[in-house]
Amino acid sequence: MRFSATLAVVPLGARLAQAALDVDAITEKYFGNDAPWYKNRIPLFESSDTEITDVYYYRWNLFRTHQRDVGTKYGYITTEFIDNVSWQTQPWASNNCAAIFHLSEGRWCRDPRFKQDHATFMYSADSNPRQYSESLADGVWRNYLVDGDPALAISLLDDMQRVYNQWVGDHFDEAKGLFWIEPIADATEYTISSIDVSGGYDGFFGGQAFRPTINTYQYANARAIAKTAALKGGLDSVVEEYNTRAQNIKDTLQRDLWNSTFEHFIDRYQVNNENVTYWDFIRGRELAGFVPWAHDLLDDDAKFGEAWKHALNSEELGGLFGLRTVEPSYEYYMRVWRYEGTHTECHWNGPSWPYQTTQVLTSLANVLDHYPNTAAHITVGDYTRLLKQYANQHYNKHYGNILDVEENYDPDTGEPIVGLGRSHHYFHSGYVDLIVTGFVGIRPREDDVLEVNPLADPSSISYYRIGSLIRPRLTAASARTNYGPYLRYS
């Protein structure tokens, strides 16, 4: 974002804070002897909800913990696991699965090297930017929207196109006009498609499908490439090519992956065997169907808004302690096939995953912000309730409620499921970005407008404020308020 000096519209109706947030007191409270690292790097935040606030600072601790210095060639990369795992990119301890969250969190850090180093490494020859489905180009573009510096995006433009075209080469069906992927390569093993393609026998591998996820990611990547090319200039053919690709994905996904019976975006099979039929829909709703809103793919259509009823329904996707990845009506809901010793391994057939919870909360914030026809069934109260539910998951019920986010949770009890040594303080999701762009409502955009549209529910949140943001003019948004209405600076 870029800002001019003129205040155009300020319909506040709220009390400005009488004093700035105390950086010394806050950083010493949350980080102790490590406070100096954070003082000049992170936005300060507080709210009337202690859990939401405490988790915010825990997530900055998590962000720092996962910065790994890999030497002068690449600088810092952001890891998913603190411990090494066998499937990481060797010897760097990296994988691209949660890179969009690492970049979205990192864009609010005032020290730019972490996001710059990580993005550059992800596109390098020593990384594997296609180990899992990805929206890396979109993540790089999101950073530009916050810091206003085009250098990183422009430097990676050729790599963005190279990776995009590799996906087109081996995961795009020209006849259907959609990308397909095996669920495990979509970072979600044991989904409806992978379980049912095996006849209920397994589900770790298999189940290739045209999914809302990978198609949304490639839509977002195409848009980011087009916008970056336009920013660089002199690349009109690239801009046109990738805008056309994005529009084609958008049109096809809305037409072919919307299921009117389930009122949801769901997979269609790309495989054909004795158990499933090519191009048939899977037989249930999955949380992954909300991903298109996270990247603003969809039209503002009231028909699509019907999907949100199912996210809030406690008998469907809305678990008491977390959003379910699959509904309890599914035949193999919460069934376990794979263990490590006595510990359940990763499944996406019902457990609540912070990964997809982050995507849903991002989607929900977008709908409430700029999809008026879609938002008929949801309110800021729903957003705040789900954010509080997600914040509460960070308090580990197996370890005396210390702050320790793990891989996944039982949506009906709130207890961690996998619980392996690798699972602790797992950086596979986002939170800081949800607070800044959703709860507080600072909406990064391309033009010269600072837009603030908070989603904190005034019936449960009496005040909140944020300061020390990455751009000097963003600090002007620091305010203590009973409920911040729409703010606009230009």
Side-chain angles (χ1 to χ4, degrees):
M1 289 186 289
R2 299 168 298 282
F3 311 103
S4 64
T6 304
L7 177 63
V9 182
V10 194
L12 278 174
R15 298 171 302 169
L16 293 178
Q18 296 301 307
L21 290 161
D22 188 331
V23 61
D24 291 329
I26 290 173
T27 54
E28 287 172 13
K29 172 184 176 181
Y30 286 103
F31 307 116
N33 291 337
D34 291 332
W37 191 93
Y38 298 91
K39 283 183 180 179
N40 296 315
R41 286 188 170 98
I42 70 169
L44 301 178
F45 166 75
E46 73 174 17
S47 77
S48 60
D49 190 291
T50 302
E51 281 194 358
I52 287 176
T53 304
D54 288 353
V55 173
Y56 174 83
Y57 289 104
Y58 165 72
R59 292 298 300 226
W60 274 116
N61 195 339
L62 189 76
F63 177 83
R64 185 198 176 189
T65 298
H66 283 270
Q67 301 309 312
R68 183 173 293 198
D69 186 346
V70 295
T72 56
K73 183 176 182 180
Y74 293 117
Y76 288 89
I77 66 168
T78 306
T79 62
E80 179 179 324
F81 297 93
I82 294 176
D83 297 336
N84 292 334
V85 293
S86 61
W87 57 92
Q88 67 194 17
T89 301
Q90 302 290 357
W92 310 100
S94 169
N95 72 57
N96 75 324
C97 176
I100 184 63
F101 303 133
H102 300 160
L103 293 173
S104 295
E105 302 283 274
R107 65 179 176 163
W108 299 107
C109 179
R110 297 204 304 279
D111 186 340
R113 60 181 159 169
F114 303 112
K115 64 184 180 184
Q116 291 171 355
D117 288 356
H118 188 52
T120 302
F121 172 79
M122 276 291 152
Y123 278 113
S124 76
D126 287 317
S127 179
N128 181 1
R130 299 179 65 233
Q131 183 176 2
Y132 298 97
S133 58
E134 50 79 27
S135 50
L136 277 170
D138 184 54
V140 173
W141 179 254
R142 290 184 186 194
N143 276 272
Y144 165 71
L145 294 181
V146 170
D147 66 22
D149 183 353
L152 177 65
I154 290 173
S155 73
L156 295 173
L157 179 58
D158 289 344
D159 290 312
M160 293 177 186
Q161 295 176 78
R162 170 181 57 81
V163 172
Y164 190 96
N165 285 311
Q166 287 172 347
W167 284 112
V168 171
D170 56 22
H171 279 75
F172 187 72
D173 187 313
E174 293 284 352
K176 297 299 185 185
L178 290 169
F179 290 89
W180 57 269
I181 197 163
E182 184 181 17
I184 193 170
D186 207 19
T188 54
E189 59 270 47
Y190 294 100
T191 65
I192 292 177
S193 66
S194 65
I195 294 169
D196 283 359
V197 80
S198 76
Y201 177 76
D202 195 17
F204 187 68
F205 294 117
Q208 287 85 341
F210 302 98
R211 308 197 79 200
T213 48
I214 188 172
N215 284 284
T216 298
Y217 303 154
Q218 295 311 320
Y219 164 84
N221 285 337
R223 291 280 290 159
I225 291 168
K227 288 175 181 291
T228 302
L231 199 62
K232 183 176 181 179
L235 296 170
D236 290 350
S237 63
V238 175
V239 175
E240 181 179 2
E241 175 188 353
Y242 283 90
N243 276 334
T244 299
R245 286 179 166 185
Q247 187 63 47
N248 289 342
I249 294 170
K250 173 188 174 85
D251 293 343
T252 307
L253 185 150
Q254 291 187 123
R255 183 189 68 223
D256 290 344
L257 297 189
W258 175 256
N259 184 291
S260 57
T261 301
F262 285 112
E263 298 177 317
H264 203 52
F265 291 99
I266 62 176
D267 299 5
R268 299 182 90 138
Y269 288 105
Q270 190 266 345
V271 292
N272 196 67
N273 68 10
E274 65 275 16
N275 299 311
V276 302
T277 302
Y278 177 86
W279 199 240
D280 276 0
F281 283 112
I282 60 172
R283 55 174 170 146
R285 280 181 287 264
E286 295 180 316
L287 205 61
F290 292 104
V291 169
W293 282 286
H295 298 269
D296 278 329
L297 179 148
L298 300 173
D299 291 329
D300 184 19
D301 189 329
K303 173 182 68 177
F304 299 149
E306 297 298 310
W308 288 97
K309 296 184 301 185
H310 307 293
L312 305 178
N313 189 324
S314 62
E315 300 299 317
E316 296 176 330
L317 293 169
L320 181 62
F321 290 93
L323 292 167
R324 300 182 177 103
T325 44
V326 173
E327 295 179 358
S329 59
Y330 176 53
E331 180 181 2
Y332 300 109
Y333 173 73
M334 297 292 284
R335 178 168 171 180
V336 176
W337 284 266
R338 187 166 168 259
Y339 295 85
E340 181 171 313
T342 59
H343 287 274
T344 300
E345 261 289 3
C346 299
H347 294 66
W348 294 73
N349 58 337
S352 181
W353 282 80
Y355 183 102
Q356 284 190 350
T357 299
T358 304
Q359 292 178 315
V360 171
L361 283 166
T362 302
S363 295
L364 183 53
N366 286 342
V367 171
L368 290 169
D369 182 72
H370 50 267
Y371 286 85
N373 296 322
T374 306
H377 300 290
I378 51 177
T379 67
V380 294
D382 297 318
Y383 180 86
T384 300
R385 179 182 64 80
L386 291 175
L387 180 68
K388 286 168 66 70
Q389 182 187 71
Y390 176 40
N392 186 257
Q393 283 186 338
H394 289 71
Y395 291 86
N396 197 310
K397 293 176 174 56
H398 287 175
Y399 294 91
N401 287 321
I402 64 168
L403 283 166
D404 175 11
V405 65
E406 293 204 30
E407 296 183 60
N408 61 0
Y409 297 85
D410 188 317
D412 301 312
T413 68
E415 294 191 4
I417 294 177
V418 174
L420 294 167
R422 68 170 195 245
S423 304
H424 299 285
H425 306 295
Y426 186 43
F427 197 4
H428 189 243
S429 58
Y431 185 87
V432 168
D433 194 60
L434 298 176
I435 294 296
V436 179
T437 65
F439 187 83
V440 174
I442 296 171
R443 309 292 301 179
R445 47 191 287 169
E446 298 170 52
D447 58 17
D448 294 333
V449 171
L450 168 59
E451 183 179 313
V452 185
N453 186 17
L455 300 179
D457 180 9
S459 70
S460 60
I461 304 296
S462 61
Y463 79 90
Y464 55 88
R465 59 176 177 165
I466 195 164
S468 303
L469 284 153
I470 190 168
R471 300 297 301 281
R473 282 297 304 274
L474 279 174
T475 306
S478 177
R480 186 183 183 97
T481 172
N482 287 329
Y483 178 59
Y486 187 82
L487 298 175
R488 174 171 286 182
Y489 290 83
S490 65

